[in-house]
Amino acid sequence: MNSGIDDILKKSIQCIKGVAEKRSKLFHKLGIFSVYDLITFFPRGYEDRSKLKKISQMVNGEECTFEGIVMSKVSEKRIRKGLTLYQVFIKDDTGTVIATWFNQPFVKKLFYVGERYIFYGKVTGKYKYFEVSNPVYEKVENGEFKNTMRILPVYSSTAGLSQNTIRAVMENALELVDGALDDFLPYWIRKEYRLCDINYAFSNIHFPRSEEDLNYARYRLVFEELFILQLGLLSIKTALGDGKEGICFGTHEKELAHFISGLGFELTNAQKRVWKEIEIDMESNRVMNRLVQGDVGSGKTVIAALALLKAVKSGYQGIMMVPTEILAKQHFETLCALMEKSGVTLSLLVGSQTAKQKKEILSRIEAGEVDIVIGTHALLEDNVKFYRLGLVITDEQHRFGVRQRAVLSGKGENPDVLVMTATPIPRTLALILYGDLDISIIDELPSGRKPIKTYVVDNSMRERVNKFIRKNVSEGRQVYIVCPLVEESDAIEAKSALELAEKIAKEDFKDLRVGLVHGKMSSSEKDKVMQSFADGEIDILVSTTVIEVGINVPNATVMVIENAERFGLAQLHQLRGRVGRGGYQSYCILYNESKSKIAIERMKVMENSTDGFVISEKDLEIRGPGEFFGTRQHGLPELKIANLYRDMDIIKKAQKAAAEILRRDRLLCEEENIKLKEKIVEKFKEKLKDISLN
Ligand code: ADP
Ligand code: MG
């Protein structure tokens, strides 16, 4: 019985009544191949045709359902070639309306004077009578309705597939599976969280019997989706060593206090709090898997240094992995300076080193002569072996996957893991997107920073902006100009940045030193240009977004962003964070050519706030979560029904439920949880590729 329904769900949609080859191709365009794909193709909205109105209650411009008696024969009026109107008067006990159809001669044969119908359509009211154009109609017979008197689903569609076709096919599909869908949620979860039965949920999400039924159905399906998401993430956490016996690092109070007192500044309260959280993790015998989130400039590097120092003082080695070579070099230099007096040996490991250099470094790492290694992806290679690896830090988490973290961890025996990111995400969302990690947030910038001044301009200001750029360069400062991704294609992106750079170099600033970086260049080419910018050999750096995870150039004070409206706010914020890193007043100039209200509102947010969390929250509010916080980019399964912004309450319940079920059955291997576990493995197969779930 059960395997029966699983087989049906896997079958091609061609097994559904009403879907032959040609139509199935249209469904493929919507990403629908199997019966399961179809029934989980949830409506994007609904048309409520269930509430009957009297003609006297009609409102101009609104859609409504009403019942009436046909009062006249259908009249035919040829307006011009190709446009003929068919009209009929309809009456109830409160008034009269005109129903109008365009070019549908068959309606003449349908309606007879004195007969009673239900209609549904949009009301307009220019003349004496309200008029309903192209209404849907159904005869009042045995009380069964198909197109009226109910709430009907509205699907995202594609040319050639009408709503009516999708609805009909969906009904057939639901008939095929109705009553047979297996509820993989354990009974006690359904009971405790008041979740409706799965068959009821599927039938009512597509064809709700009432608004209330729709709400029950939606609640169950959203809960289920978020519950699985949460459980998947928590299982990954377990697989990565959460709860596993880890290293108990020592306190080393004296050494660490000494290090902190040598910094030349006091830690912010947020840094102190986050450091405390990390220390507790490191001293406990649980493996640490912690995310440190902090806006650009919030001081994450010092925290990393503290953790590394603690590990080294306890007799272990530490790694810090970053996404680009130039960042690796910068971090290496920063950490060398910070640890100068701590008696710690640091090494750099990057792809561009010669084989001979690498060989020497690798043997020193393996022999335990190096305490801390800073590097790029080069660290992931098999030949990088450690003497006693205790701590793994990755910076800029969104560039690395769970898998890479796991590879690094595998180089030690359950080392602690710290992930650093500057991507500001509201905490509630972070809990989902990084559900496989514990989270610490540095939500405070060191005091005394000069906030970056941001101005939104349009092309008419170009002269003035160019003058401003010149002024800054003549004072010895440097400037970034960023061009957006015009299309998905890298080629076009590179071209537009290139064209602009050429224009800037040959026309606007022909007397200045202009450099260019874009995604099409090899990383060594990129690094070279970045390095000469950092060394002050370039005045204006024109680039695509590759500088987002960039380098620290305190002398750069102006960030100009072309077509700023094409960027996400969080991305603009990251880009802006490239300036304002030294003692100079810094500026961000956003070119916006869009007149749309949303674009203007988004630009205002940038002008008015420098807080990454506020900005990302606003962005979410204005744009909705699907677009920017795509779960896809975090390597998570696609959400088909839940909305991470709107369904916050359900997220919290699902998180609670996930924690509860794991407390009862940590590995989900009890009989009642088997189906659920299968579902999770299925949904997370991408993310779980190289990690085995226990
Ligand atoms: P990010 O979080 O972007 O990685 P960094 O760690 O690079 O930030 O810190 C940015 C700058 O702020 C560095 O020059 C660092 O030395 C400095 N800094 C860090 N913490 C403090 C603090 N508590 N007070 C003053 N300056 C600090
Ligand atoms: Mg940093």
Side-chain angles (χ1 to χ4, degrees):
M1 171 74 198
N2 287 349
S3 70
I5 183 69
D6 286 345
D7 288 344
I8 293 176
L9 291 173
K10 278 188 204 128
K11 272 195 187 166
S12 148
I13 43 170
Q14 284 199 39
C15 77
I16 299 165
K17 209 162 61 185
V19 187
E21 193 172 343
K22 201 169 139 210
R23 196 168 271 171
S24 76
K25 293 223 170 79
L26 294 173
F27 276 104
H28 292 173
K29 277 196 193 164
L30 297 171
I32 300 168
F33 295 87
S34 65
V35 174
Y36 179 77
D37 293 340
L38 183 70
I39 65 169
T40 54
F41 186 64
F42 298 118
R44 69 173 159 78
Y46 297 88
E47 259 176 36
D48 189 352
R49 303 181 180 177
S50 67
K51 294 182 185 88
L52 262 188
K53 274 197 173 170
K54 292 290 184 189
I55 289 174
S56 63
Q57 297 172 309
M58 285 183 175
V59 177
N60 190 7
E62 277 183 10
E63 273 151 26
C64 86
T65 308
F66 62 98
E67 182 176 347
I69 295 171
V70 173
M71 298 301 292
S72 65
K73 279 176 90 167
V74 177
S75 71
E76 182 171 351
K77 216 185 284 170
R78 207 178 118 105
I79 304 291
R80 56 179 153 78
K81 195 168 181 232
L83 181 64
T84 308
L85 293 189
Y86 298 87
Q87 292 190 308
V88 67
F89 280 92
I90 296 155
K91 186 178 164 325
D92 70 4
D93 51 5
T94 69
T96 304
V97 286
I98 306 172
T100 305
W101 289 270
F102 302 94
N103 297 336
Q104 293 182 32
F106 55 86
V107 298
K108 278 200 296 186
K109 298 209 189 79
L110 281 173
F111 296 104
Y112 294 98
V113 175
E115 282 189 349
R116 188 178 284 273
Y117 289 84
I118 306 265
F119 298 87
Y120 171 81
K122 188 169 173 180
V123 177
T124 51
K126 273 180 276 186
Y127 306 106
K128 187 175 163 199
Y129 298 109
F130 271 137
E131 184 177 338
V132 189
S133 303
N134 286 320
V136 174
Y137 44 84
E138 254 175 320
K139 197 149 190 214
V140 182
E141 269 170 343
N142 46 16
E144 271 198 29
F145 299 96
K146 207 161 181 64
N147 289 316
T148 62
M149 300 304 290
R150 47 195 295 210
I151 301 172
L152 280 176
V154 179
Y155 298 96
S156 303
S157 187
T158 182
L161 268 185
S162 71
Q163 290 297 329
N164 279 339
T165 306
I166 303 179
R167 283 172 193 150
V169 169
M170 191 67 80
E171 281 198 314
N172 293 340
L174 288 172
E175 225 161 81
L176 207 61
V177 301
D178 190 36
L181 293 171
D182 227 357
D183 213 324
F184 54 86
L185 291 180
Y187 178 71
W188 69 268
I189 291 265
R190 274 186 278 149
K191 187 153 171 269
E192 192 162 326
Y193 291 89
R194 296 162 184 269
L195 304 171
C196 67
D197 165 72
I198 191 166
N199 288 287
Y200 172 94
F202 272 96
S203 123
N204 278 283
I205 199 71
H206 291 291
F207 300 100
R209 279 182 270 282
S210 69
E211 212 175 307
E212 206 186 358
D213 291 278
L214 172 60
N215 289 339
Y216 275 129
R218 188 173 183 282
Y219 171 64
R220 139 109 209 190
L221 293 167
V222 169
F223 182 98
E224 164 189 321
E225 192 167 49
L226 295 170
F227 182 61
I228 286 174
L229 180 66
Q230 196 62 23
L231 277 177
L233 290 163
L234 292 174
S235 310
I236 290 174
K237 201 168 169 179
T238 307
L240 285 179
D242 188 63
K244 268 191 210 154
E245 187 105 351
I247 304 161
C248 297
F249 294 96
T251 52
H252 310 290
E253 257 167 75
K254 254 221 293 302
E255 287 103 322
L256 291 169
H258 185 251
F259 174 84
I260 292 172
S261 69
L263 284 173
F265 51 74
E266 196 177 341
L267 294 181
T268 62
N269 285 328
Q271 282 171 316
K272 285 183 193 159
R273 189 190 65 239
V274 168
W275 172 235
K276 191 84 227 155
E277 288 165 358
I278 294 170
E279 278 205 294
I280 290 171
D281 278 1
M282 287 182 76
E283 286 165 24
S284 90
N285 65 351
R286 258 184 66 229
V287 171
M288 168 168 78
N289 268 300
R290 185 168 285 279
L291 176 77
V292 175
Q293 233 193 347
D295 215 341
V296 274
S298 61
K300 294 185 290 297
T301 316
V302 178
I303 300 297
L306 278 164
L308 288 165
L309 194 58
K310 192 177 176 84
V312 173
K313 292 295 167 197
S314 297
Y316 287 87
Q317 293 169 295
I319 310 183
M320 178 147 175
M321 181 163 82
V322 301
T324 65
E325 229 176 283
I326 190 145
L327 262 182
K329 285 178 191 155
Q330 279 203 338
H331 268 114
F332 178 67
E333 280 160 24
T334 310
L335 290 175
C336 283
L338 281 172
M339 305 216 177
E340 210 185 344
K341 298 189 197 101
S342 305
V344 172
T345 319
L346 294 102
S347 243
L348 178 71
L349 188 72
V350 292
S352 69
Q353 284 162 331
T354 63
K356 192 167 158 241
Q357 283 173 321
K358 271 189 210 148
K359 204 171 152 215
E360 202 216 311
I361 297 166
L362 290 178
S363 72
R364 292 184 59 215
I365 296 172
E366 193 167 358
E369 292 162 24
V370 170
D371 301 313
I372 296 170
V373 189
I374 292 128
T376 55
H377 289 82
L379 287 166
L380 294 168
E381 289 184 16
D382 282 345
N383 58 4
V384 183
K385 298 198 182 83
F386 285 80
Y387 175 69
R388 208 170 172 224
L389 179 62
L391 177 67
V392 171
I393 301 182
T394 62
D395 197 8
E396 308 297 351
Q397 122 98 17
H398 54 301
R399 309 271 152 156
F400 299 116
V402 172
R403 217 178 303 163
Q404 286 160 319
R405 240 156 57 210
V407 170
L408 286 183
S409 295
K411 293 178 184 289
E413 262 182 60
N414 299 336
D416 278 358
V417 175
L418 203 53
V419 175
M420 309 246 162
T421 176
T423 312
I425 296 178
R427 187 182 188 96
T428 31
L429 273 188
L431 282 173
I432 281 286
L433 296 178
Y434 300 110
D436 54 336
L437 300 165
D438 295 317
I439 298 178
S440 291
I441 301 184
I442 310 183
D443 50 4
E444 180 187 357
L445 291 182
S447 59
R449 292 270 166 85
K450 289 194 184 115
I452 300 163
K453 291 187 177 157
T454 300
Y455 304 96
V456 178
V457 300
D458 62 21
N459 260 322
S460 69
M461 298 279 284
R462 202 163 280 276
E463 284 290 307
R464 278 185 66 185
V465 170
N466 286 352
K467 235 188 225 158
F468 181 72
I469 291 174
R470 256 170 206 292
K471 177 172 159 277
N472 275 271
V473 172
S474 73
E475 285 166 4
R477 303 287 85 74
Q478 287 163 285
V479 176
Y480 293 100
I481 301 180
V482 178
C483 309
L485 203 101
V486 175
E487 294 281 358
E488 293 291 3
S489 140
D490 268 1
I492 297 174
E493 179 196 348
K495 184 161 156 271
S496 77
L498 226 123
E499 274 170 6
L500 186 68
E502 277 174 2
K503 185 182 162 295
I504 289 169
K506 292 195 180 131
E507 297 168 27
D508 305 356
F509 303 110
K510 58 171 178 280
D511 49 326
L512 302 180
R513 298 167 300 172
V514 179
L516 171 70
V517 285
H518 58 74
K520 276 270 155 138
M521 293 161 74
S522 72
S523 37
S524 70
E525 284 174 315
K526 271 188 283 198
D527 278 1
K528 229 169 100 190
V529 181
M530 297 271 208
Q531 193 63 56
S532 52
F533 186 67
D535 294 342
E537 294 158 11
I538 290 174
D539 300 313
I540 300 177
L541 182 63
V542 182
S543 82
T544 56
T545 49
V546 290
I547 58 155
E548 188 189 341
V549 190
I551 39 168
N552 194 16
V553 183
N555 191 45
T557 54
V558 184
M559 166 65 64
V560 178
I561 302 178
E562 300 279 342
N563 291 103
E565 75 276 4
R566 299 193 189 191
F567 291 93
L569 290 191
Q571 205 182 4
L572 287 176
H573 179 68
Q574 291 267 302
L575 287 168
R576 181 167 63 182
R578 294 297 110 205
V579 296
R581 300 174 85 87
Y584 309 106
Q585 174 62 54
S586 292
Y587 305 88
C588 174
I589 294 161
L590 303 172
Y591 276 106
N592 170 39
E593 295 307 321
S594 169
K595 301 272 177 289
S596 96
K597 242 174 104 180
I598 289 188
I600 292 168
E601 197 183 335
R602 294 174 66 235
M603 291 304 120
K604 272 251 142 58
V605 172
M606 292 305 297
E607 261 180 342
N608 295 338
S609 177
T610 51
D611 182 328
F613 289 99
V614 171
I615 288 169
S616 70
E617 194 105 41
K618 281 273 183 220
D619 203 20
L620 198 60
E621 201 180 305
I622 300 170
R623 297 213 290 177
E627 291 172 67
F628 188 56
F629 294 107
T631 48
R632 278 274 169 90
Q633 73 190 34
H634 290 266
L636 300 179
E638 176 198 14
L639 294 178
K640 290 188 159 192
I641 188 163
N643 174 316
L644 291 181
Y645 190 58
R646 219 173 44 204
D647 294 321
M648 207 52 86
D649 285 347
I650 310 181
I651 290 178
K652 286 180 193 146
K653 285 187 184 146
Q655 283 173 336
K656 186 162 163 270
E660 253 173 73
I661 196 169
L662 291 177
R663 203 177 313 124
R664 294 173 180 220
D665 179 10
R666 199 170 77 92
L667 301 174
L668 298 180
C669 46
E670 273 167 32
E671 182 67 28
E672 61 169 2
N673 297 330
I674 295 285
K675 284 261 161 202
L676 180 61
K677 182 157 182 171
E678 280 171 18
K679 197 92 186 163
I680 295 164
V681 170
E682 165 72 23
K683 288 264 180 201
F684 276 79
K685 53 178 186 273
E686 264 310 298
K687 197 157 181 148
L688 290 171
K689 248 179 210 154
D690 282 349
I691 310 167
S692 58
L693 274 188
N694 328 25

